[in-house]
Amino acid sequence: MTAPTSGLRDHLGYWLRRLSDEVHARFERQLAEHGVTVSQWTVLITVYRGDATTTREVARYADIDVGAVSRLVDRLIAKGLISREPDPSSRRILRLTLTDAGRDLAPRLAEIADRNDAHFFAHLDPDQRLQLEEWIRRLVGETHPEPPTPPLS
């Protein structure tokens, strides 16, 4: 006798996607109140924290296509939240810098992100949350290693 065919809800990938979709959709709605998308927040917070300072570095850090990051930066420039500045050590490099409005907005958006995470994961005790994060990082890392962190200069 053969085993029954597995169904949609028998797959962990289905549940991970459902969770991701719900976390993302709620966050997207909250960011929309500030005129920013989740993708734009990714660029803003990455530059704000100094994790990356060029379009290419942001793309590598966030694992997003360079062209997509460039378009996101264009939209953020149009919103007055970010600018491209020539690097004093190389004319070929344009550094991303937050405008005053971007520097004011980024930490407020990070608070929204923190509250959104708490909404979905606060029912886990701190050890469970850490274990879940470690498992997910390990699973992602096993199939797609984390991009190297660019040097801060």
Side-chain angles (χ1 to χ4, degrees):
M1 182 164 216
T2 61
T5 303
S6 62
L8 175 66
R9 294 180 176 193
D10 296 323
H11 295 275
L12 186 56
Y14 167 79
W15 293 109
L16 288 171
R17 184 195 51 79
R18 283 276 314 273
L19 177 60
S20 176
D21 288 351
E22 290 189 29
V23 171
H24 182 92
R26 185 174 188 275
F27 190 36
E28 191 79 61
R29 285 190 305 273
Q30 293 173 336
L31 292 180
E33 295 174 14
H34 299 275
V36 176
T37 67
V38 172
S39 296
Q40 292 167 357
W41 171 79
T42 298
V43 175
L44 283 172
I45 199 65
T46 300
V47 173
Y48 178 81
R49 289 176 38 90
D51 295 322
T53 60
T54 68
T55 300
R56 185 170 306 283
E57 289 174 354
V58 170
R60 188 178 318 116
Y61 185 81
D63 196 23
I64 304 172
D65 176 74
V66 174
V69 173
S70 184
R71 290 185 295 277
L72 289 167
V73 169
D74 289 343
R75 289 184 194 108
L76 291 167
I77 289 171
K79 292 178 180 191
L81 298 173
I82 206 164
S83 64
R84 287 185 182 103
E85 305 290 334
D87 186 308
S89 64
S90 172
R91 288 188 239 184
R92 296 177 57 213
I93 298 174
L94 293 175
R95 295 280 171 205
L96 301 175
T97 59
L98 297 182
T99 63
D100 289 342
R103 274 189 299 281
D104 290 343
L105 184 60
R108 291 189 292 148
L109 300 180
E111 289 174 10
I112 293 170
D114 293 343
R115 286 193 306 269
N116 194 57
D117 266 14
H119 174 81
F120 287 97
F121 304 111
H123 65 280
L124 299 175
D125 69 46
D127 288 339
Q128 290 172 323
R129 181 174 161 35
L130 181 61
Q131 184 67 60
L132 177 61
E133 183 177 338
E134 287 175 359
W135 286 339
I136 292 170
R137 285 176 179 260
R138 189 171 87 201
L139 290 169
V140 171
E142 288 174 0
T143 59
H144 190 82
E146 186 174 324
T149 303
L152 295 177
S153 49

